[in-house]
Amino acid sequence: MEKTRAVITGVGGFVPEYILDNEELSRMVDTTDEWIMTRIGVKERRILTEEGLGTSYMAAKAAQQLLEKTGVNPQEIECVIVTTSTPDYHFPSTASLVIGELGLKNAFAYDLQAACCGFLYAMDTAAALVESGRYKKVMVIGADKMSSMVDYTDRATCPIFGDGAAAVLVEPTTENIGWMDSYLRTDGQGLPYLCMKAGGSVCPPSHFTVDNRMHYLHQEGRTVFKFAVTNMSDVSALIAERNGLDKGNIAWVIPHQANVRIIEAVAHRLELSMDKVMMNIQHFGNTSAATLPLALWENEKLLKKGDNLIFTAFGAGFTWGAAYMKWGYDGSPE
Ligand code: UT7
């Protein structure tokens, strides 16, 4: 019997209109464009400024575009996985809000939390659902409104992050394309270095937590940086090696967009020039779970059927991983 693989058959994306550039940021905290460009590599980021709008708004916009581009009947979508660290609410899930917004009647939906690694974990999960034969149309959405938890008085973290969302459709194929291999890990050591200290069940919101600014993203940048460089580089090399991939046959590397120096380290390890690396950090910053699908969305026209792609990411937890995908179609269907 032919093997069923899971392949991405379309991409949609959404970023808010408002641009927060380094010039404006330099008026908010003690920083400079030069420092941010040298140490991080972000020039500007998009911010969802409209009051009352959250992650589900961006996720639904991205999903809507995906449905329009692919022409898929929305009522054929069977499952929607939203991966985010910035859900609209603790509960219900952001995915349930997206389903409601899109008017999907024949699908179930849930959120998957793996911080900046969310898209990799969600894709691996969606691929398993499709490969099993039980589901034929699964939507994966990476979406984060990072501005909702960034402390805009903390100059070490606020230049990094931005808001955005992107969605992919995952369908079965018997061709030798799609989600080929993955290597995902979580170690449980990351809490002190990257977290939101309050607001969960350990430390519910109180006057104390608000007064002590405990509802913002807390990051010990240097430690996270070291773990990210090592782990993303190691697992990218591992995935490449065990699939016979090297600089001669890798079309693109799609790394999580946290810091241009981390991305360069991954490229160096794979002996690839930077023109083989998809980047959106300059204009979107770190959009957490959205960085990888947004990179696909922006570069869709460049992709060709059969292209060998390596994804890699690292995030809170710590979570990290890499995956190998053979792209499923030529260019943009638009
Ligand atoms: O997506 C989830 C995973 N997250 C990541 O992968 C992020 C990993 N970490 C990083 O990208 C980097 O560690 C940061 C961008 C967060 C920080 O860069 P760094 O090169 O590690 O800087 P640092 O924290 O070691 O700080 C160096 C200096 C410090 O000054 P002193 O102590 O040397 O006098 C900081 O106070 O830079 C100072 N600094 C700044 N200066 C100007 C920190 N932030 C700024 C700033 N502007 N925005």
Side-chain angles (χ1 to χ4, degrees), residues 142-161:
D144 268 302
K145 182 182 169 185
M146 296 306 285
S147 63
S148 66
M149 62 171 170
V150 165
D151 181 351
Y152 287 99
T153 66
D154 175 5
R155 69 174 183 169
T157 57
C158 73
I160 301 174
F161 297 99

Side-chain angles (χ1 to χ4, degrees), residues 240-287:
E241 197 183 332
R242 78 179 183 192
N243 289 284
L245 301 172
D246 56 32
K247 59 185 169 191
N249 55 12
I250 295 171
W252 295 99
V253 174
I254 305 163
H256 176 50
Q257 310 279 312
N259 187 311
V260 79
R261 291 179 290 138
I262 300 174
I263 295 171
E264 284 166 357
V266 171
H268 181 73
R269 179 68 171 274
L270 293 171
E271 298 176 1
L272 289 173
S273 56
M274 288 302 283
D275 60 3
K276 295 244 175 163
V277 180
M278 286 189 189
M279 294 246 279
N280 56 35
I281 187 169
Q282 312 92 322
H283 48 280
F284 293 157
N286 180 350
T287 52

Side-chain angles (χ1 to χ4, degrees), residues 17 40 117 132 153 254 272 295 302 317 324:
E17 270 180 29
I40 311 173
C117 232
S132 75
T153 66
I254 305 163
L272 289 173
L302 302 176
Y324 165 37

Side-chain angles (χ1 to χ4, degrees), residues 25 29-32 35-36 39-40 115-116 146 154-161 194 217 219-226 228-229 232 256-262 286 288 314-316 318:
L25 208 66
V29 288
D30 181 16
T31 191
T32 59
W35 192 94
I36 299 171
R39 304 308 294 167
I40 311 173
C116 296
M146 296 306 285
D154 175 5
R155 69 174 183 169
T157 57
C158 73
I160 301 174
F161 297 99
L194 189 48
L217 182 154
Q219 173 169 261
E220 284 186 26
R222 272 182 222 192
T223 309
V224 178
F225 183 91
K226 282 182 203 149
V229 166
M232 283 172 66
H256 176 50
Q257 310 279 312
N259 187 311
V260 79
R261 291 179 290 138
I262 300 174
N286 180 350
S288 195
F314 182 86
F318 292 122

Side-chain angles (χ1 to χ4, degrees), residues 283-326:
H283 48 280
F284 293 157
N286 180 350
T287 52
S288 195
T291 62
L292 303 183
L294 275 176
L296 291 175
W297 176 61
E298 278 198 297
N299 295 291
E300 190 184 14
K301 285 194 173 69
L302 302 176
L303 290 164
K304 296 193 179 50
K305 187 171 179 178
D307 274 355
N308 291 320
L309 312 182
I310 291 184
F311 295 88
T312 184
F314 182 86
F318 292 122
T319 52
W320 70 97
Y324 165 37
M325 181 168 72
K326 261 188 184 299

Side-chain angles (χ1 to χ4, degrees), residues 67-79:
L67 291 171
E68 282 161 18
K69 278 170 68 176
T70 55
V72 166
N73 176 353
Q75 303 316 335
E76 286 180 14
I77 302 292
E78 297 160 297
C79 174

